[in-house]
């Protein structure tokens, strides 16, 4: 039988998975130019369940997943609130509820205001911010967070790693904003491509810093390697998205499959990159908010 | 006697106004090989797909065998400044029929009523993306549903799109005068009742851009036929 903290851990991992699925669905809405296929909000054509024809499938599907994620976030926060977890974890969980609510409002605004770029870009960025928060929450609820892998390491290296992982996360986040600008306005394409170099440089620096940790079993090591692999994949997908969305003119009125695949994969893999950058950042902070969590048993 | 004078003056007025106005007829041609039409994939909505037994093609560029270009919006761009014309009382109807807009290209006066009608047994949305005035996005989920809108400012062109069915596109030329026309299958058009004066006409096509043409309408004289030529480059 699972302990209460075990159940919370599972719940938070399930939430991370659902948010990732939601981000993927959101990316597909944009890739199919389906953001305004349902003109009203919060209802869809005046009902909760319109016929899922044409691009309504993507837009209303995204709304249904979003509704489920919002309820799941609230349920998770209530469960954490009722658990003996420390106050800061409870606050983190309720911050998630606030973010998902804001995200829903931004989603509604972007539909009712006919996709104004500032609102659509904010919606894209807040979604990924929420994803990072759920990852942090799942990490802090997991047993991995109770074992700091950085004890016994060179304090100078630890400080450097903390600074570096924070910078890497911020650089990836800036790159996310630039990517959202490209996706919703078609501008800043070359800035986005150029800034990728800064992100790559930081990912390499994180990899180098992590390789100097004496603990061979530090979870930071595989995490940094995966981050490097995902970043490389992101560049390949970005190049594909650039070719199919910027260089090759559409032959028909609808987005062709190869354009949808590359643009959506670049968007989805971008979520993995920022999520992992956020995870590495929280993992590299020894006892960031105090590691005195009670092991809650049922 | 007074009545006779009244009718005499009325006839005189009609005569003078008709001699001061002229029609401009013309044709729009496409030079070179006609572009290939893109086949539309309507599978995403079975209600649309079942309406057609064979393949359906995009109406983006329709060129006749003689080179006439259909769906070109021809209008007076300059030369009517300072004059005002009341909006036509008859509404312009934009149908959603067969999962397409009909007409695809049309003109409308500012203040004139635009009637949107859904004749399909499926859901449509009508999104007009204007730059000079408020855009709108209307849900039309039921067959025979009607809605009306008006435009307040001139704008050439206002694109219309159905986001449910991404192949559905239409374009409206919004003008504060009634001197506009859309070319037919042969590329022919007629601008009717244009007062005497010097004008700049413009022909607009959704794929090939715009072409200007200067014309002079002289009182009592026939205006030479206008000709516009578009090409792929």
């Amino acid at each position: 039988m699972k302990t209460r903290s075990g159940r919370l851990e599972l719940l938070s991992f399930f939430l991370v998975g659902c948010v990732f699925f939601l981000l993927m669905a959101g990316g597909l809405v944009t890739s199919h130019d389906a953001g305004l296929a349902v003109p009203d909000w919060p209802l869809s054509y005046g009902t909760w369940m319109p016929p899922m024809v044409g691009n309504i499938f993507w837009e209303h599907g995204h709304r249904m997943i979003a509704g489920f994620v919002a309820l799941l976030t609230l349920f998770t926060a209530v469960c954490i609130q009722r658990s003996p977890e420390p106050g800061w974890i409870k606050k983190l969980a309720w911050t998630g509820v606030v973010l998902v609510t804001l995200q829903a409002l931004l989603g509604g605004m972007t539909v009712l205001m006919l996709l104004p770029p500032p609102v659509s870009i904010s919606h894209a960025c807040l979604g990924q911010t929420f994803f990072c928060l759920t990852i942090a929450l799942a990490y802090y609820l997991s047993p991995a967070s109770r074992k700091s892998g950085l004890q016994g390491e060179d304090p100078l290296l630890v400080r450097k790693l903390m600074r570096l992982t924070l910078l890497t996360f911020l650089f990836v986040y800036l790159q996310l904003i630039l990517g959202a600008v490209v996706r919703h306005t078609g501008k800043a394409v070359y800035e986005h491509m150029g800034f990728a170099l800064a992100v790559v440089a930081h990912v390499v620096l994180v990899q180098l810093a992590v390789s100097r940790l004496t603990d061979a079993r530090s979870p930071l090591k595989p995490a940094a390697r995966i981050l490097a692999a995902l970043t490389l994949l992101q560049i390949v997908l970005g190049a594909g998205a650039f070719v199919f969305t910027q260089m090759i003119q559409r032959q028909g009125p609808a987005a062709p499959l190869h354009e949808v695949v590359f643009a959506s994969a670049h968007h989805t893999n971008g979520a993995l990159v920022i999520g992992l950058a956020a995870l590495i950042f929280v993992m590299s902070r020894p006892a960031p908010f105090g590691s005195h969590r009670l092991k809650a048993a049922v | 006697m007074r009545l006779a004078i009244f009718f005499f003056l009325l006839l005189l007025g009609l005569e003078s106004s008709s001699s001061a106005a002229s029609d401009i007829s013309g044709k729009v041609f496409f030079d070179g090989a006609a572009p290939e039409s893109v086949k539309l994939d309507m599978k995403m909505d079975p209600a649309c797909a079942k309406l057609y037994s064979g393949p359906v093609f995009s109406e983006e560029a329709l060129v006749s065998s003689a080179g006439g270009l259909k769906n070109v919006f021809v209008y007076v761009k300059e030369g009517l400044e300072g004059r005002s014309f009341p909006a036509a009382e008859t509404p312009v109807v934009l149908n959603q029929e067969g999962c397409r807009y009909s007409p695809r290209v049309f003109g409308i006066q500012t203040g004139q009523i635009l009637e949107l009608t859904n004749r399909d047994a499926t859901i449509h949305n009508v999104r007009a993306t204007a730059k000079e005035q408020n855009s709108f996005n209307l849900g039309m989920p039921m067959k025979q549903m009607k809605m009306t809108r008006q435009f307040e400012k001139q704008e050439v062109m206002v694109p219309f799109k159905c986001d449910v069915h991404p192949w559905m596109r239409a374009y409206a030329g919004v003008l504060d005068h009634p001197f506009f026309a859309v070319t037919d299958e042969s590329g022919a058009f007629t601008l009717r009742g244009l007062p005497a004066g010097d004008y700049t006409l413009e022909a607009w096509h959704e794929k090939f851009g715009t072409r200007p043409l200067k014309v002079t309408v002289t009182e009592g004289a026939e205006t030479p036929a206008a000709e516009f030529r578009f090409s792929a480059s």
Side-chain angles (χ1 to χ4, degrees), chain A residues 4 8 73 76-98 133 137 140-141 293-294:
Chain A
R4 175 183 276 183
L8 279 182
T73 310
T76 307
V78 170
C79 289
I80 291 172
Q81 182 66 39
R82 290 161 58 97
S83 76
E85 294 293 337
W88 62 266
I89 287 199
K90 291 176 180 172
K91 279 182 189 157
L92 198 61
W94 286 107
T95 307
V97 175
V98 172
L133 183 138
L137 188 65
Y140 288 127
L141 286 169
R293 279 182 50 214
L294 297 169

Side-chain angles (χ1 to χ4, degrees), chain B residues 54-107:
Chain B
V56 189
F57 294 94
S58 161
E59 295 172 313
E60 201 178 42
L62 297 174
V63 183
S64 73
S65 54
L69 187 59
K70 194 187 173 186
N71 282 339
V72 178
F73 184 69
V74 183
Y75 70 104
V76 175
K77 188 178 184 183
E78 287 165 13
L80 290 165
E81 292 79 11
R83 302 189 207 190
S84 64
F85 301 89
E89 285 179 12
T90 324
V92 173
V93 180
L94 178 61
N95 282 314
Q96 296 147 90
E97 193 168 19
C99 294
R100 288 167 170 231
Y101 283 117
S102 174
R104 185 176 175 95
V105 179
F106 62 95

Side-chain angles (χ1 to χ4, degrees), chain A residues 32-40 45 50-56 58 111 114-115 249-255, chain B residues 38 40 44-46 58 60 122-125 127-128 135-141 161 163-169:
Chain A
H32 283 93
D33 296 330
L36 293 174
V38 180
D40 50 342
Y45 288 94
M52 299 291 268
V53 295
N55 276 338
I56 296 173
W58 300 109
V111 165
L114 309 183
L115 305 181
Q249 208 181 354
R250 273 188 198 177
Q251 290 304 305
Chain B
V38 177
L40 301 179
M44 66 197 308
D45 188 344
S58 161
E60 201 178 42
T122 190
I123 285 186
H124 290 297
N125 76 299
R127 175 158 66 96
S135 299
F136 58 80
N137 188 16
L138 306 169
M140 301 194 71
K161 186 186 175 189
D163 296 275
V164 180
H165 309 104
W167 61 84
M168 286 178 67
R169 306 280 168 104

Side-chain angles (χ1 to χ4, degrees), chain B residues 91-94 96 108 111-117 126 136 138-140 145-151 160:
Chain B
V92 173
V93 180
L94 178 61
Q96 296 147 90
I108 186 168
Q112 191 174 4
I113 290 172
L114 172 66
E115 190 178 288
L116 305 156
T117 312
V126 184
F136 58 80
L138 306 169
M140 301 194 71
M145 191 172 177
K146 282 184 185 179
M147 291 178 119
T148 57
R149 281 291 180 276
Q150 282 171 296
F151 293 101
F160 283 68

Side-chain angles (χ1 to χ4, degrees), chain A residues 47-294:
Chain A
T47 70
W48 291 108
M49 195 61 217
M52 299 291 268
V53 295
N55 276 338
I56 296 173
F57 173 82
W58 300 109
E59 171 60 17
H60 189 69
H62 177 53
R63 291 184 187 191
M64 287 199 302
I65 300 165
F68 176 73
V69 165
L71 291 175
L72 186 64
T73 310
L74 181 64
F75 178 69
T76 307
V78 170
C79 289
I80 291 172
Q81 182 66 39
R82 290 161 58 97
S83 76
E85 294 293 337
W88 62 266
I89 287 199
K90 291 176 180 172
K91 279 182 189 157
L92 198 61
W94 286 107
T95 307
V97 175
V98 172
L99 288 191
V100 80
T101 309
L102 278 176
Q103 180 68 348
L105 290 173
L106 280 176
M109 275 169 69
T110 200
V111 165
L112 298 176
M113 294 166 75
L114 309 183
L115 305 181
V119 181
S120 300
I121 292 165
S122 305
H123 184 60
C125 295
L126 189 61
Q128 307 249 12
T129 311
F130 174 58
F131 181 51
C132 293
L133 183 138
T134 59
I135 286 174
L137 188 65
Y139 172 72
Y140 288 127
L141 286 169
S142 74
S145 68
R146 287 165 212 147
K147 306 175 262 182
S148 173
L150 295 171
Q151 279 142 4
E153 299 288 348
D154 175 7
L156 269 176
L157 177 63
V158 172
R159 270 204 298 278
K160 186 185 171 190
L161 195 60
M162 280 163 55
R163 204 169 48 239
L164 199 56
T165 55
L166 173 62
L167 267 177
T168 305
F169 173 71
L170 291 176
F171 271 56
V172 176
Y173 199 89
L174 275 172
Q175 182 68 336
L176 158 73
I177 296 172
L178 282 172
V181 171
V182 172
R183 205 144 151 81
H184 293 283
T185 67
K187 294 174 186 165
V189 177
Y190 294 103
E191 289 84 342
H192 183 53
M193 287 164 80
F195 203 72
L197 295 174
V199 172
V200 169
H202 271 79
V203 168
V204 170
L205 288 174
V206 168
Q207 175 75 24
L208 288 175
V210 165
S211 68
R212 289 171 58 199
L213 293 174
T214 53
D215 179 7
R217 287 165 56 193
S218 167
L220 278 168
K221 292 193 172 186
R225 275 198 296 275
I226 296 169
L227 180 65
L230 288 178
T231 306
L232 190 67
L233 177 63
Q234 185 66 350
I235 289 169
V236 174
L237 292 171
F242 176 75
V243 169
F244 290 121
T245 62
Q246 308 282 329
M247 292 175 75
I248 298 175
Q249 208 181 354
R250 273 188 198 177
Q251 290 304 305
L257 185 65
H258 47 76
E259 184 186 316
V260 171
V261 167
F262 271 94
S264 301
H266 184 58
H267 167 269
T268 306
N269 191 61
L272 290 178
V273 170
I274 198 165
L276 193 53
L279 181 64
I280 290 175
F281 166 61
V282 293
M283 282 164 79
S284 67
R285 305 188 81 75
F289 308 102
S291 60
H292 314 298
R293 279 182 50 214
L294 297 169

